[in-house]
Amino acid sequence: MSDFRLTAESCLAGRRVARTFERAGKVQVRIEERFPVFVLEVAAFGALQSQDIQHFEAATGVTPPAAGNAVHGRNVGVAALGPNRWAIIAPSELSFTPNDNFAVTDLGSARTCFIISGTKAAIVLAKGTSIDLHPSVFPAGSAAATRISHFSALIWQLDMEDGFLILTPRSYAHSFYDWLVLAASEFGGETQAL
Amino acid sequence: MLIPCPHCGLRDHAEFAYSGDAGLKRPAPDANDEAWFDYVYQRNNTPGEHVELWHHIYGCRQYIAVTRNMRSHDVRGSRFAATPEAES
Amino acid sequence: MLVSIKIRNINDLTPSFCYNLIMGRQYSAFRLFREALNGQQGWPLAWADAAPKKSYDIIIIGGGGHGLATAYYLAKLHGVRNVAVLEKGWIGGGNTGRNTTIIRSNYLLPENALFYEHCLKLWEDLSLDLNFNVMFSQRGVLNLANSDAQMDAYARRGNAMRLSGIDSELLERDQVRRMVPHMDFSDRSRFPIYGGLLQRRGGTARHDAVAWGYARAASALGVDIVQNCEVTGFRMAGGRVAGVETSRGFIGAERVGIAVAGHTSHVAAMAGLKLPVESHVLQAFVSEALKPFLDTVVTFGAGHFYISQSDKGGLVFGGDLDFYNSYASRGNMPIVEDVASAAMSLFPSLGPLRLLRSWGGVMDMTMDGSPIIGLTPVDNFYINGGWCYGGFKATPGSGWVFAHTIATGAPHALNAPFSLDRFKTGRLIDDKGAGPYPWLH
Amino acid sequence: MNGQGFRQADGQAINRDKPLRFWFDGKCYEGFAGDTLASALMANGVRLLGRSFKYHRPRGLMTIGADEPNALITVKRPGFSEPNTRATMVDLYDGLKATSQNAWPSLRFDVGAVSNAVSPFIPAGFYYKTFMGPTRHAWMFYEALIRRAAGLGRASRKPDASRYSKTNAHADVAIVGAGEAGLNEALAAGKTGARVILIDEAMQPGGWLLRERASGAIQMMIEALHGMPNVTILSRTTAFGLYDGLQMAAVERVQDHLPQIDLAAPRQRLWLIRAKRIVLAAGAIEQPLLFEGNDKPGVMLAGAARGYLNQHGAVPGRCAVIFTNNDSAYQTAFDFIAAGLKISSILDTRADLPEQLAAQARALGVSVVAQSAIDRVEYSRGLRGVHFHARGVAGKLECDVLAMSGGWAPAVHLSTHLGGRPVFDDARGLFLPARMPDGITCAGCMAGKGLPAAEPTPSSPSMRAFVDFQNDVTVKDVKLAHREGYRSVEHLKRYTTLGMGTDQGKTANIAGLSLMAGLTGQSIAATGTTTFRPPYTPVSIGALGGMETGEHLRPIRRTPMQDWHEANGGLMAVSGLWIRPKAYLKPGEDVIAAQIREARMVRQGVGIVDASTLGKIEVQGPDATEFLDRIYCSPVKSLKIGRARYGVMLREDGFVMDDGTLARLAPNHYYLTTTTAQAAKVLAHMEYHAQVTWPELRVSIISVSDQFAAIAVAGPQSRALLAGLAGAEAFDDAGFPYPSLKIITFGGVNVRVLRASYSGERAYELHAPAAYAMSLWKALLDAGAQPYGLEAMAILRIEKGHVAGAELDGRTTPADLGLAKLVRADKEFIGRRMLQRPGLSDPSRPSLVGLVPVDEASRIRSGAQITLTDDEKQPVMIGHVTSVCFSSVMGHPIALALIANASDMHQKIVFARYPLRNETVAVRIVPPVFYDPEGARLHV
């Protein structure tokens, strides 16, 4: 039995090079991939009872956010995906034990996590998504599972200014990245190596 | 066209996969042939209001029962398909 | 050479032909020339706009191509002249006047292939038969294949067609390229063109002319064409239809046939029938007129898209259904955008060209994607509908078999498989294999 | 270069400090910034701008806006050319090159004009009456000739170099038209702090206000709007369509006015605007009058004439005749005089003249003639004069421009896009906007405000008067349509092509239907209009397609090993959204040789294949077992924890939907695979029944297709290979029997190992977290494994008679595929009832068999049809070939086929017919499992 260790690799491996494409000397969009990220999808089989909420808080440190919202805990973020369904996003492993009322599914490899920021970040996303990203409608802490061009994505307006976290299915992430770069090219942008 | 998703709010219909008549009730296994034929194949399809399923595949992945007028496309209301009408 | 009066055989001496000849109504270049000398003053009505009589032997509901063709063949082939076609608006105003005019018989399943081939043969003689130029242009219909699997599927279809005596050719990539060079054969193409299935005898026709030509020929044979006459109900007696209630009063009938595709469900519902049909909207588009550069009908396998160029120069194209039940003859933007994306991807030179007009047609989508032509539980009530988005190409054959069915009270071998009860028996005609999800066909 | 002989001091819109050079038909001219191509050509005295569609009649400017029917030109750019462009809508830029259309050899001398001479012979619809004989194919001959005359502009065949973009926008109020009404609406809404989008098609807001002699007021309005951060003004943007849910589509011409187009930025941008409230303030369109020669260059709309003068200082003519049926045209006379130009006379069709205006005109020395009509115009290389008659008088008036006004029609187009019909207002004789959904209102002219009453169209104007200028439809054509019974407005339109030009009849429809109303004796209200369809004005296909073209038409899905496949000889092929390796070619190897080598490698040793494209779903919950038992027609409840099983599911209509492997991880936790093609459908199917059919079942369904990459390790040496990586005991058959699932640690990572086999050999599918999959793939290669591709995979499964996409075509039942034994009669499942229909249980249905060629050297092709005989006359089709390969173990081609009455056909010889290549191959019908029917190899 040979002794080896498997190593994790981003689906953008080889593509995650730092590139800057200026327009009129401006760089107005910044595209970064966060890798690795730890993602759990938690689904409750029914409406949450108090002990379920306690179970949830014990695991994540936050109370499950309501529809349309996402919340931050210490080193964890939780976004509402659907009725009784949440995405738990964390930089490092986090355990949420399934029980009779919770299904827990590891999607850490299934999702690619982007941070899109810069003064034109919302404009770039608006090329693909029909939801209203205006701060008055989609303030920091808002999260929406939606569509960007042909891609399904979770968009989370971060507390940081003009910053969005986006989760998109891994097998599509390559194409999504190409789409983002094309969409950003008229404003000037940069992609961040990690 | 905008579909009011009970979970996600008003969303463009391009986020959904249309999934047909929401009024269908799967007959009991021993129901007669007519009942089964009616369930699988026959549709009222009368102009006017139609209660229909929209699967929010780009959003919460719920099947939404939407009341929409087939002539004007006006949407009057919606509920989760999983929720019995009474509760909505 | 321009004179279009030509008798190839005795069958060409159709009643309508003789009538037109005797009445001096025959259309011809010669007549056109003669009329030019008196300012085109001498042309009679193309068809008489009749007021409804008290009753008819046969009433056809729906003055589209299918209904008018049915009336024409009833009069011409079955000698039934006491026929009325009831149209709620103006003839040819439904899907006959809102389609992309594509005509083909390149179907996989034998039931479809044989029926549509019969239609295609009728198309080939239609202008002469009706003495009205429907401009049936056999410019060829080319289905592009974008994968090995699709090439195999087309091969299966093409072989089945050829063995049924229908023309079909399987083209390799370079043959397609020679035929339509300005498609995207570059490596930036998302779905490379592997080849295609070509039916040379397929093509397009002038949609309005089909309704007008049948109306004129039927009218000449004594058929009453009643416009602005909406059917509001059926008067039933002893499980039979006694006649129809209309916006212009009650009209009695021995037999009634409906050809109201797009609205079949609710017309049939008036007679107490529930059908395996949903109404969906299909959009179509035409560009500004351009000097012709595309002389073939092309369909794109990946991303549903089809395109041809009319004799006026407009690019006529379309794509998928809007994917929701609708009786509104208009669609929404997502399909417009998707069709334009496909157009640009297949023909990268189309970018600067402009879309002139878009419109939507209401389609009867059936549960297996094939039409319903035949008998109903009501024994003197016949149905012709469920054409999905392929009704235009069927117009002559549809009228032909429907006339036979109504006149003889039994379906012709060609439309027997398209019976309403096939859904009960499970003998479906599902060319696409999509199952009972009408919007997927 | 010519001087601008027809430029006046007036014209607030142009900037004389910025002269611009441009070319029309190769000739160089000068204009100014702020000009449109139309105004610049007018300033240069160019009157002949185009040729009409049918008769190739010389045509000049008719209008000053988007309604222009005549002045269609082609704009030439380095990357592309833009045919059928309205000169009135082209902002002038330095170096602009434009050419005229539909004329040969030249605009002035156009051979096509001969059709004008033969016009009596080619009335409306002439082509329906001839070109039918002598043979059934005659039309193809005539059509070839007719198509030479078809079309207006010429399309470039070169790929469009420019870029397009799309943006979604949201507003509280979206306003169409930045004329006086639109600006006021914007100001009012803007003050409330609402998010406002104001859309206008011109180069700057203002609308007709810009065309008044004094228009200082609007500058303040516009500055006020610019001061509001909540107000967005989109100029050079045309709102072209209204859609459901208060959505508006508009196209912005981002760079079309720039001398150089920056290819890194969009040339045009599609705006998809969703608003809480939409205000239509698109203004009104002036209508022409009907008289002989009303289409000649120099005859134009009165509003346009003064518009060019006031806005651009461009002079339509030095001496004008005004011809009108309403008050609005008098202002044209006053503006001409104020600009020092001559008005030879005002011809008013009305009996009662407007006293004030008439007096004002006479005071300026202009004669005003009541109840007058124009008989014809004198034209030779320019307008010379008009012949008119009036009560008692008749005569000729010299002029070089005829400014006409047939009244103003609200631009109701957008109001009809949601299905409404324009409403005819008898009192004022005009169509007002249709009733619209809540949230959409009209303002200004569109609300019927400020429109002059106009006299109705005369019942019998000159037969030669043009109704539709672009398509050359005359009064005579309308009468012919009536005579032949084409009397509904839609028949009129379709028979004569009235209103079907690129202008969609903005200056033609109303006259046309008024004439028809006159002929039928019906009221105009009863006659009605044709429906206006989107777009309001033509929109480039590029803008509608946006960025999602070429390689972006659809996403490419990639497995973690994709880069490796591409870098290591993988011959890649499109398969749905994926691009997968058919085979890995070694130097000098073709794809056939490679796939046979790869298949033999698996049969004899071991190979690995990237199976990551398989759909993967996790089903969890207290009712997971019950739910899956109803979804699969094959047994589920008896599946033990840790075991796996081949499963089949049906659609509710009884036909096979998909097949795959089902594994039970824990009492309430299942992991299942679907075929690549059906993955999305199966997920939606299961969600449907979980949410809609049995909402009471407590179950969660989540796709993990992207979470797990799958690597199949197949072949007799697969166990040895894997044991070397993860330890022998983990793969001990006792603890890891076929078929089952076991979680085994590879290099520190838990991998779901599925002992299942598609190849018939001992095999293990490693389902590893996608992030680690490439690393695992490399480890397997390091351990000596070699990859195989789709083609080898196909060989292996065909040899075993396993079904795939070609057999699962949505028309087959389990029995058809030899899977009847899997269908459990003792339980309820989706599709059970419909499966019992006679059509699905008919023994004569085509079912799965194997085929071998009688002559082993001959080739069977996929897609071949099976016939009983090789008789050319009456081929009886009994089925078709679904899958074919060259068998690596048998050394000759084998195939799977679906054949009717297969049970009676065993060992019979039939024919695989491929008429597309004139091939007929004699084949023998054999069982569909060619290799190891007893399945011993699974355990070797």
Side-chain angles (χ1 to χ4, degrees), chain A residues 1-11 13-15 23 35 39 41-46 85 98-111 123 125-134 136-137 149-151 168-176 178-183 185-187, chain D residues 163 165-171 195 262 264-266 269 274 276 547-548 552-560 563 577-578 618 620-622 668-669 697-704 706-708 723-729 745-749 751 768-779:
Chain A
M1 169 168 178
S2 69
D3 171 35
F4 68 104
R5 308 229 28 104
L6 296 184
T7 54
E9 196 176 74
S10 154
C11 63
R15 288 237 174 170
R23 291 270 308 152
F35 183 86
V39 180
E41 181 163 332
V42 173
F45 302 122
R85 283 176 56 233
N99 63 21
D100 279 358
N101 202 22
F102 280 115
V104 180
T105 311
D106 175 5
L107 293 179
S109 273
R111 301 284 180 264
I123 302 286
L125 295 178
K127 289 185 176 193
T129 184
S130 59
I131 64 171
D132 190 350
L133 296 174
H134 190 273
S136 64
V137 182
S149 182
H150 290 297
F151 307 91
T168 189
R170 177 187 176 108
S171 63
Y172 289 87
H174 236 98
S175 283
F176 180 61
D178 292 344
W179 183 92
L180 276 174
V181 169
L182 181 63
S185 59
E186 75 175 280
F187 305 112
Chain D
R163 187 179 282 186
S165 184
K166 193 179 292 183
T167 191
N168 291 274
H170 301 262
R195 289 162 71 192
D262 172 355
R269 177 180 289 115
R274 288 166 189 79
K276 296 194 179 66
M547 287 169 35
E548 281 74 18
H552 296 281
L553 175 62
R554 293 285 184 271
I556 297 174
R557 296 185 69 181
R558 298 171 67 93
T559 75
D563 291 333
L577 290 180
W578 305 91
E618 292 216 353
Q620 305 170 67
N668 297 338
H669 191 175
L697 294 184
R698 288 155 51 91
V699 55
S700 143
I701 300 155
I702 295 174
S703 166
V704 287
D706 280 20
Q707 170 69 12
F708 293 99
L725 291 173
E729 62 286 356
T745 307
F746 284 78
V749 175
V751 175
Y772 294 92
M774 188 57 225
S775 172
L776 177 58
W777 178 265
K778 286 203 187 105

Side-chain angles (χ1 to χ4, degrees), chain B residues 1 12-14 18-20 34 37-38 40-47 50 52 54 68 70-73, chain C residues 263 265-266 269 274-280 323-328 330 332 334 367 423-424 428 436 439:
Chain B
M1 188 157 62
D12 192 279
H13 71 288
Y18 180 75
S19 308
E34 269 313 312
F37 175 59
D38 200 51
V40 178
Y41 288 109
Q42 304 213 110
R43 300 293 178 261
N44 283 324
N45 194 41
T46 43
H50 187 235
E52 59 200 16
W54 291 78
R68 188 182 60 94
M70 279 199 254
R71 282 196 192 279
S72 66
H73 294 173
Chain C
H263 296 73
S265 292
H266 67 273
K274 193 173 174 189
L275 302 175
V277 170
E278 289 184 4
S279 296
H280 286 258
F323 297 116
Y324 47 79
N325 285 44
S326 175
Y327 279 99
R330 56 190 177 81
N332 274 297
M367 291 281 169
F423 299 94
K424 273 204 175 81
L428 302 150
W439 57 92

